[in-house]
Amino acid sequence: MKNMESFSDVMNYFENLSSEHRDINYFVYGGSDRILTAERDNIIYPTLWVEPPEVIPMISDQGNKMTWKMVFLVIAQCDPDEWKKEKYLMDWTFQIATSLMQRILSDSEDQFEISPSSFSLYPVEGMNNDHEIGWRVQFEFYHPISSCSDNKFKSVCPAGALAKFKWSN
């Protein structure tokens, strides 16, 4: 499978995850405006919602990497006064979220690097007008990047660009 190195790679990965998971019925990417628009179209729950990532290039002596801070939500819909249904849906969306986390960790062996301790889960209750509930998952993954510039520049990787020098007297 292809490494996740671009925005399209990452979005395709999550869209594929949602289509492969038997309990996820809808995928949406974007900020809250996107999910609010999708609600008007009668989305089918449970939904996997991926928020826009934060991408941070890290340049250091230990190596260069691109860090992706990701957030996804697994949400379902429940009327505010249906406590039994809400408890059931919180458990169900928790199971879906943790199964996605396990799959991401499994896939990381071939596609990207991740620390299992970077995962965190937060309950989501009464979100938006449709009273969406579920779980918000945050995590980080990264992949190495070259210290050379890409082929859009005349000097792609000048001689000595990868060499490390140590000065001593």
Side-chain angles (χ1 to χ4, degrees):
M1 201 176 275
K2 184 180 176 187
N3 288 339
M4 290 202 306
E5 296 179 355
S6 71
F7 179 81
S8 294
D9 293 339
V10 174
M11 289 306 108
N12 290 339
Y13 174 79
F14 279 99
E15 193 167 8
N16 288 337
L17 270 184
S18 72
S19 66
E20 291 174 11
H21 198 288
R22 69 175 182 213
D23 293 330
I24 297 173
N25 293 317
Y26 193 81
F27 172 80
V28 64
Y29 159 78
S32 58
D33 58 331
R34 180 79 52 95
I35 195 76
L36 289 171
T37 302
E39 286 176 332
R40 291 185 200 114
D41 293 337
N42 297 319
I43 64 175
I44 303 169
Y45 296 97
T47 294
L48 175 62
W49 171 15
V50 177
E51 293 184 356
E54 179 182 358
V55 184
I56 305 166
M58 306 286 287
I59 311 298
S60 72
D61 291 340
Q62 289 77 36
N64 304 329
K65 64 181 179 178
M66 192 71 72
T67 300
W68 295 72
K69 292 186 175 189
M70 300 298 304
V71 174
F72 69 83
L73 292 86
V74 177
I75 52 176
Q77 190 273 330
C78 178
D79 291 332
D81 57 348
E82 295 186 62
W83 172 236
K84 282 186 177 183
K85 184 178 178 184
E86 187 172 323
K87 277 184 9 181
Y88 168 79
L89 290 174
M90 288 299 288
D91 285 342
W92 189 30
T93 55
F94 182 81
Q95 291 171 358
I96 295 170
T98 55
S99 69
L100 289 170
M101 290 168 44
Q102 291 169 343
R103 172 67 183 270
I104 291 167
L105 283 170
S106 174
D107 289 346
S108 72
E109 296 172 9
D110 297 329
Q111 300 180 51
F112 49 90
E113 298 177 46
I114 192 169
S115 169
S117 64
S118 76
F119 282 97
S120 55
L121 287 98
Y122 304 93
V124 174
E125 298 180 81
M127 189 175 74
N128 300 332
N129 293 332
D130 285 351
H131 191 69
E132 294 166 328
I133 59 172
W135 293 88
R136 176 185 175 94
V137 179
Q138 295 178 210
F139 71 100
E140 295 179 9
F141 75 89
Y142 64 93
H143 61 84
I145 56 175
S146 172
S147 58
C148 295
S149 58
D150 65 20
N151 62 5
K152 290 180 178 64
F153 295 93
K154 292 178 183 175
S155 178
V156 174
C157 195
L162 299 178
K164 291 186 179 182
F165 296 99
K166 190 172 188 177
W167 300 96
S168 61
N169 295 9

